[in-house]
């Protein structure tokens, strides 16, 4: 399992699983200890909330984007996930109106207002 798999899996669990505070803390530590991760304190998400940002300088093999910047609240809840271009290329982005995307442009941003699992059966 590579760095991307660990980071993606942990981020997905933080976003959708009904985790305890201890479990969130453990996943945060796993993410924060990945090679070359940059940690930013008091970073604001798109909704103006403040959290800790974990930026990963890698993405899946051949992908056009840097895996993500995760912004987490104090309790480890995911506030936002942002993907940025790692090179100039022709893909749509949310910061460039044309198809030309420059290195560093936001390709996608997901801002979470509520996260967690459910105990309700689909269709019930």
């Amino acid at each position: 399992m590579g760095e991307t798999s660990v980071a993606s899996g942990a981020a997905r669990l933080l976003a959708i699983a009904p985790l305890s505070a201890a479990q969130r803390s453990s996943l945060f530590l796993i993410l924060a200890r990945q090679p070359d991760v940059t940690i930013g304190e008091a970073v604001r998400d798109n909704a103006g909330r403040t959290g800790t940002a974990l930026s990963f300088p890698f993405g899946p093999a051949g992908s056009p984007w840097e895996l993500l910047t995760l912004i987490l609240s104090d309790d480890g809840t995911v506030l936002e996930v942002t993907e940025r271009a790692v090179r100039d290329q022709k893909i749509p982005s949310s910061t460039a109106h044309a198809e030309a995307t420059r290195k560093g442009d936001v390709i996608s941003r997901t801002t979470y207002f509520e996260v967690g699992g459910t105990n309700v059966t689909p269709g019930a």
Side-chain angles (χ1 to χ4, degrees), residues 41-51 71 80:
E41 300 291 333
V43 176
R44 290 198 181 272
D45 73 359
N46 210 35
R49 301 169 296 176
T50 303
I71 300 178
E80 187 169 86

Side-chain angles (χ1 to χ4, degrees), residues 97-112:
H97 298 292
E99 282 191 23
T101 301
R102 301 239 182 255
K103 181 178 180 178
D105 282 351
V106 173
I107 294 173
S108 76
R109 174 179 287 130
T110 304
T111 303
Y112 293 90

Side-chain angles (χ1 to χ4, degrees), residues 56-87:
F56 301 87
F58 51 82
S63 77
W65 44 272
E66 169 175 276
L67 178 57
L68 53 93
T69 296
L70 264 177
I71 300 178
L72 305 169
S73 66
D74 288 342
D75 69 357
T77 300
V78 175
L79 300 177
E80 187 169 86
V81 178
T82 303
E83 299 167 348
R84 294 185 182 275
V86 292
R87 61 184 176 276

